[in-house]
Amino acid sequence: MQHRSLTIAALLLLPCTLIAQWKSLPDVDSLRYENGATVLLHAGKSVTRVQVLADDLVRIRCVPGGSALGAGFSWAVVKRDWKPPVVRRLETDSAITLASTTLKVVIGRRPLRISFLDSAGHLVNADHPGKGMSQSGNEIRVWKIMPPDEHYFGLGEKGGSFNRRGSHTAMWNSDIPAYGPDTDPLYQSIPFFYGVREGKAYGIFFDNPAWSSFDFGKESRNQYSFGAESGEIDYYFFCGPTPRKILSTFTELVGRMPLPPRWSLGYQQCRWSYTPESRVREIAESFRSQRIPCDVIYLDIDYMEGYRVFTWNARNFPSPERLLTDLARDGFKVVAIIDPGIKIDSSYAAYRSGEAGNHFVSRSDGTVFTGDVWPGRCAFPDFTNQRTRTWWGEQFSGLVHSGIKGWWNDMNEPSVFNTPTRTIDLAAVHRTDFGPSSHAGNHNIYGMQMTRATFEGVRKLVPGERPFVLTRASYAGGQQFAAAWTGDNVASWEHFAMALRMCLSMSISGQPFVGSDIGGFLGYPSGELFARWLQLGIFTPLMRAHSEINEPNKEPWEYGAEFTVINRETINLRYALLPYIYGVMQEAAATGIPAMRPMMFDNPTDLINLDESTQFTFGSDLLVAPVLQQGAVKRRVNLPAGFWYDYWTGVLHAGGKEVSVDAPINRIPFFIRAGAAIPTQQVVQYTSEAPVDPLTILVYPHPSGIRTQSVFYEDDGTSLRFQKGEYLRRTLTQSGSVDSLTLVLSAAEGIYRPASRSLIFRVLSAGKTPKRVTLNNMSSNRREISPSTRQEDGWWMDEKDGAITIRCPDRTDSVRLAISYR
Ligand code: MIG
């Protein structure tokens, strides 16, 4: 393959798999067990290693044209020591079988082909008999059988159809502003996907950071394939059978998102650029005077001196410390953009120390590689090297001391303006932690390693606090270091729907902390489009509006008085839901299960809705159906099995069918699972303005009174002390019958205690007035009590929606509430 000097565009047009001469594996000549769960096989001039890592996880490595495997290092894998599973081995004339309790790997001997079976012996996934694992020159590829009814999901940030069947897609981190649904590849590479068939799923993670591609039946109808232009075949097979199990094991393998600071879940306002400092102050003041909640303001590239990272433009930002102190007093955190390119300028400190420390990527002749980006000619830090990552991390101390609280890593594909490949020359040399190698072989992990250097550096400079980093480029496992947004989108309805698809796909690919530029980065949205996009933003973990430099202002109050009211209400709702949203993010950090869950994730057996990417659950209890069409004021929603309450009307719907609900311009349709309880709080102007008080728990009883549980999580929101037990976790158990409902809020687990406050239960009861309410077995009085009189208990019926409202002081001990209608 001679494409090293071609542009990416030309590269993508080359049907590389068609012109190659593929050599697949011949018969097995010999084999050797390295341990009870690992077998090494030689077949002709090839070597293959099959390693059962866990009951549900197998790693396959293969060099089709070489007799030895490499060192097998990975930029993504963080868990290497798996407790060896119990594996039974069976050898016959035709095959070698390794069987764990949940899967069987069958290695055919003539020729060497691999299949995966479930414990019942059903075939789950198999090498294509003709091709299997193959090599052509440096390229490697795996062909698999593609059953006619198998569907594919995942692969992270991809704009095309949510189900990847029938598509060809590549992984090569690329900066493509105003990309469309057919633009591929984009900024991030997560080479991990699900195959779903007959309601059961398996997963494959192809761990290769070079240019790679995935063909799900575009090349041929009965086979699919994945491969890369260099490196080894190195993939992991997750036998599932649920997407949840697969994602849990995948994120155990590559790492999970750390618990984000609570403020980063507030509303974030960005544009290219808020400058000079008076404009930043003006934006901050507008949020406060208009009573629109906001936690974060961004500084885009113009805060710097000539785009030199780690500097300030002294004319536009004469006293950054003062600005940042004032903004902090008003409750704003400021996030600054940091690009990778370091301007070549001998009077610039970061360049001088980078040069002196030999921290830049070099050309093959050893000289520093240079390319043009915003500052002009730049050198590029070699983030693949630990020494350089440490050096990079130290550069943040000035900005940290000025009061910057978050870090926006942009342009880290990396994007380069003036090279034919639009990135670092493919033959340039990285001095990686694993030895020297070319940019081509490391391209897709460059951005992720930049976020790693940023995250680790800041964590060291601000010990005990949770860093917030946002990135454009990434690789599998990147969620450990940064949230991710979907790059330079456009203010159009098509892009709006695409943003949702992309966020859902990233979510099931291991990255839960996702969002898109609300309203669109390029172009100007109508008031309607902005309002609808902002509403979706309530349910994307990253809720950030942004705009390109040449566009008119796009802040939430720029669309006329009517929309200002609507947008304020939307952001208010985000803040009211923060206790729930924070809990959902805590669950994602602990388990890898994302906040945004497409329908296939928890309902892979629902074949009709497998491809559905216009509605999703947020956490386990909210079903969100944003309005994605211009002019629409109704929305059709596929309710999964169970019962669902309409948030806006309180109407209870039976699930397992499609319903149509009203969706006027000020409402995003969403539903609460019957049996759930949603913790909410008072609206604040920023997350740390006031402690949660009252904590209001919205209780949505199950109509048949089945027992359900909800978990509430709280901590101080910024520090790492939760790791030492300083958190507060409580479980609310609901049980009941037609005549009664019992709520038991468990005593606190963990040692974090909020200041004294009120606790309110709002129980939807379809207007039925209870005969008796008892609190901790004492009869409670029917009277209305304002939340400020904390020491008294009482209950009343809410006039508006007929909810029973019960108030008591929150002593974080166990509360038992009994409501009886008889
Ligand atoms: O070449 O920093 O995606 O969010 O505003 C453009 C300026 C560079 C691209 C980012 C965008 C950001 C812009 N950047």
Side-chain angles (χ1 to χ4, degrees):
M1 278 289 315
Q2 263 311 347
H3 63 234
R4 302 216 157 213
S5 58
L6 300 178
T7 65
I8 295 300
L11 189 152
L12 296 176
L13 294 173
L14 266 176
C16 43
T17 54
L18 297 181
I19 55 174
Q21 287 297 310
W22 292 103
K23 285 187 78 176
S24 58
L25 301 187
D27 298 354
V28 174
D29 295 323
S30 66
L31 62 94
R32 175 165 71 78
Y33 292 98
E34 291 188 354
N35 58 45
T38 308
V39 60
L40 193 75
L41 305 122
H42 289 275
K45 274 214 294 294
S46 77
V47 58
T48 301
R49 188 163 177 260
V50 177
Q51 181 177 17
V52 183
L53 290 170
D55 274 352
D56 61 335
L57 177 61
V58 183
R59 182 183 184 186
I60 307 286
R61 293 178 61 198
C62 174
V63 179
S67 53
L69 296 167
F73 33 69
S74 165
W75 293 99
V77 169
V78 294
K79 176 160 175 172
R80 289 166 186 286
D81 299 321
W82 296 79
K83 194 169 137 265
V86 178
V87 170
R88 279 180 303 116
R89 301 193 313 230
L90 180 75
E91 285 187 30
T92 65
D93 262 6
S94 59
I96 302 115
T97 300
L98 302 181
S100 77
T101 52
T102 50
L103 98 168
K104 290 192 179 91
V105 193
V106 179
I107 306 159
R109 292 181 194 257
R110 286 184 302 274
L112 198 168
R113 297 287 183 272
I114 295 177
S115 335
F116 300 95
L117 281 64
D118 66 17
S119 54
H122 299 304
L123 183 64
V124 177
N125 177 261
D127 282 355
H128 185 267
K131 290 177 178 162
M133 298 191 279
S134 299
Q135 180 150 4
S136 164
N138 282 332
E139 272 192 77
I140 41 117
R141 199 155 193 92
V142 184
W143 272 272
K144 298 278 191 181
I145 289 173
M146 190 174 79
D149 55 348
E150 189 161 278
H151 302 277
Y152 305 95
F153 301 92
L155 298 176
E157 187 195 51
K158 296 282 168 197
S161 91
F162 186 63
N163 184 343
R164 313 270 175 236
R165 191 180 169 97
S167 76
H168 179 95
T169 166
M171 296 291 174
W172 184 259
N173 292 359
S174 307
D175 172 11
I176 308 186
Y179 57 84
D182 300 327
T183 309
D184 182 84
L186 295 174
Y187 308 91
Q188 302 175 24
S189 297
I190 311 184
F192 163 71
F193 65 89
Y194 302 79
V196 180
R197 189 170 156 257
E198 292 178 343
K200 290 190 183 141
Y202 65 85
I204 287 179
F205 169 42
F206 175 52
D207 189 10
N208 187 314
W211 188 88
S212 63
S213 70
F214 294 76
D215 191 294
F216 291 108
K218 192 140 198 172
E219 183 197 50
S220 149
R221 299 256 296 276
N222 53 18
Q223 61 196 35
Y224 77 84
S225 68
F226 54 90
E229 68 152 23
S230 65
E232 289 178 4
I233 292 175
D234 185 354
Y235 76 91
Y236 296 79
F237 183 85
F238 305 82
C239 77
T242 63
R244 187 174 272 264
K245 176 87 187 307
I246 293 162
L247 187 56
S248 165
T249 307
F250 174 59
T251 54
E252 187 178 352
L253 180 73
V254 302
R256 294 176 180 150
M257 170 195 73
L259 184 60
R262 199 168 183 273
W263 59 261
S264 66
L265 302 175
Y267 177 69
Q268 309 196 3
Q269 184 65 50
C270 189
R271 98 162 265 130
W272 176 12
S273 297
Y274 291 128
T275 183
E277 100 159 47
S278 58
R279 179 65 181 148
V280 183
R281 289 178 184 277
E282 195 173 83
I283 290 293
E285 277 154 26
S286 302
F287 274 103
R288 296 299 179 247
S289 66
Q290 308 226 32
R291 306 285 297 163
I292 296 179
C294 179
D295 265 75
V296 183
I297 296 184
Y298 278 70
L299 297 179
D300 205 329
I301 49 177
D302 299 287
Y303 76 90
M304 297 180 262
E305 180 56 44
Y307 308 121
R308 291 167 184 81
V309 284
F310 311 116
T311 69
W312 288 94
N313 178 309
R315 193 162 38 81
N316 292 332
F317 291 85
S319 52
E321 285 80 9
R322 217 180 53 218
L323 171 69
L324 297 173
T325 311
D326 291 348
L327 289 172
R329 199 176 307 121
D330 269 346
F332 289 99
K333 306 281 191 288
V334 176
V335 174
I337 197 168
I338 302 285
D339 288 354
I342 302 269
K343 186 179 177 70
I344 300 201
D345 169 2
S346 55
S347 65
Y348 165 39
Y351 173 71
R352 279 215 312 271
S353 77
E355 160 90 313
N358 200 16
H359 291 305
F360 299 127
V361 175
S362 55
R363 299 194 184 89
S364 43
D365 66 5
T367 59
V368 169
F369 166 81
T370 64
D372 288 359
V373 226
W374 288 103
R377 255 184 78 202
C378 284
F380 294 84
D382 188 355
F383 298 112
T384 67
N385 184 292
Q386 179 60 61
R387 208 175 49 81
T388 298
R389 287 195 298 275
T390 304
W391 164 80
W392 175 260
E394 289 160 358
Q395 305 309 304
F396 287 76
S397 74
L399 292 174
V400 162
H401 287 121
S402 303
I404 298 288
K405 295 290 185 206
W407 314 96
W408 175 21
N409 285 179
D410 186 24
M411 302 291 281
N412 52 350
E413 294 72 28
S415 177
V416 179
F417 295 157
N418 66 333
T419 54
T421 56
R422 291 282 177 167
T423 188
I424 291 175
D425 284 349
L426 301 182
V429 180
H430 292 270
R431 288 173 296 270
T432 83
D433 297 342
F434 309 119
S437 60
S438 71
H439 182 70
N442 293 285
H443 177 78
N444 287 341
I445 53 98
Y446 186 86
M448 176 203 194
Q449 295 306 306
M450 178 188 181
T451 64
R452 176 182 175 190
T454 302
F455 179 90
E456 287 173 351
V458 170
R459 198 176 48 181
K460 223 182 277 170
L461 288 165
V462 195
E465 276 198 23
R466 307 173 204 169
F468 173 68
V469 182
L470 176 62
T471 188
R472 196 170 68 177
S474 199
Y475 183 71
Q479 60 271 7
Q480 290 171 97
F481 312 116
W485 96 104
T486 59
D488 297 345
N489 59 4
V490 178
S492 72
W493 292 90
E494 180 189 42
H495 261 266
F496 177 30
M498 183 162 59
L500 174 52
R501 283 203 300 277
M502 291 165 79
C503 287
L504 289 172
S505 182
M506 287 153 78
S507 294
I508 60 168
S509 306
Q511 170 59 283
F513 203 171
V514 292
S516 62
D517 285 352
I518 290 171
F521 176 68
L522 291 141
Y524 198 76
S526 63
E528 181 192 3
L529 176 57
F530 185 87
R532 290 304 196 189
W533 208 320
L534 191 66
Q535 287 165 358
L536 172 63
I538 300 173
F539 302 106
T540 60
L542 179 81
M543 188 188 196
R544 188 185 81 143
H546 185 31
S547 175
E548 203 257 353
I549 189 166
N550 295 310
E551 305 295 344
N553 294 336
K554 292 185 192 166
E555 292 72 28
W557 54 80
E558 291 288 350
Y559 303 91
E562 225 173 290
F563 280 114
T564 303
V565 173
I566 291 170
N567 295 337
R568 178 187 298 114
E569 287 300 312
T570 297
I571 299 177
N572 282 350
L573 182 54
R574 166 78 172 204
Y575 277 75
L577 287 170
L578 268 176
Y580 176 76
I581 294 170
Y582 190 58
V584 166
M585 292 305 273
Q586 193 276 330
E587 183 192 350
T591 66
I593 304 307
M596 298 176 74
R597 305 172 193 171
M599 301 317 286
M600 55 68 65
F601 189 71
D602 280 323
N603 309 280
T605 50
D606 179 357
L607 299 181
I608 295 167
N609 293 312
L610 209 56
D611 294 359
E612 175 59 76
S613 62
T614 69
Q615 61 173 65
F616 58 101
T617 53
F618 186 91
S620 49
D621 295 328
L622 299 186
L623 176 77
V624 183
V627 176
L628 299 166
Q629 260 149 23
Q630 182 171 10
V633 288
K634 280 199 175 288
R635 163 81 213 229
R636 295 160 89 75
V637 191
N638 278 301
L639 295 176
F643 291 88
W644 298 87
Y645 286 90
D646 184 319
Y647 172 79
W648 298 102
T649 61
V651 169
L652 181 64
H653 297 272
K657 63 170 195 236
E658 193 180 270
V659 297
S660 171
V661 293
D662 286 340
I665 182 67
N666 59 344
R667 282 184 192 175
I668 175 169
F670 71 101
F671 300 81
I672 299 95
R673 187 189 299 280
I678 310 292
T680 64
Q681 68 166 88
Q682 82 279 19
V683 171
V684 286
Q685 296 308 299
Y686 51 97
T687 50
S688 58
E689 184 183 34
V692 172
D693 186 12
L695 176 66
T696 301
I697 299 175
L698 309 180
V699 179
Y700 294 89
H702 194 278
S704 53
I706 60 168
R707 189 170 175 274
T708 57
Q709 289 198 314
S710 316
V711 176
F712 309 141
Y713 176 89
E714 294 173 78
D715 61 20
D716 69 21
T718 55
S719 82
L720 299 174
R721 289 196 288 270
F722 69 91
Q723 293 169 345
K724 301 228 161 69
E726 285 193 37
Y727 60 84
L728 169 59
R729 184 183 279 119
R730 290 186 284 185
T731 305
L732 182 75
T733 306
Q734 300 186 43
S735 56
S737 65
V738 218
D739 296 331
S740 71
L741 174 68
T742 306
L743 304 176
V744 178
L745 185 59
S746 70
E749 176 202 323
I751 57 173
Y752 174 74
R753 290 293 175 275
S756 94
R757 65 183 177 191
S758 290
L759 185 59
I760 293 178
F761 295 89
R762 284 178 44 79
V763 182
L764 258 76
S765 70
K768 276 193 298 179
T769 305
K771 286 263 155 47
R772 202 167 30 146
V773 173
T774 59
L775 237 179
N776 297 331
N777 301 324
M778 310 248 289
S779 176
S780 179
N781 294 328
R782 179 165 187 182
R783 56 179 170 169
E784 190 136 357
I785 294 161
S786 90
S788 54
T789 49
R790 286 213 182 79
Q791 299 315 313
E792 292 174 73
D793 308 331
W795 68 271
W796 65 95
M797 298 293 294
D798 193 304
E799 297 283 298
K800 268 213 321 275
D801 57 2
I804 307 168
T805 310
I806 299 129
R807 214 226 53 195
C808 60
D810 184 9
R811 301 204 178 85
T812 64
D813 47 8
S814 128
V815 178
R816 185 168 192 282
L817 195 66
I819 297 172
S820 105
Y821 297 100
R822 275 235 167 152

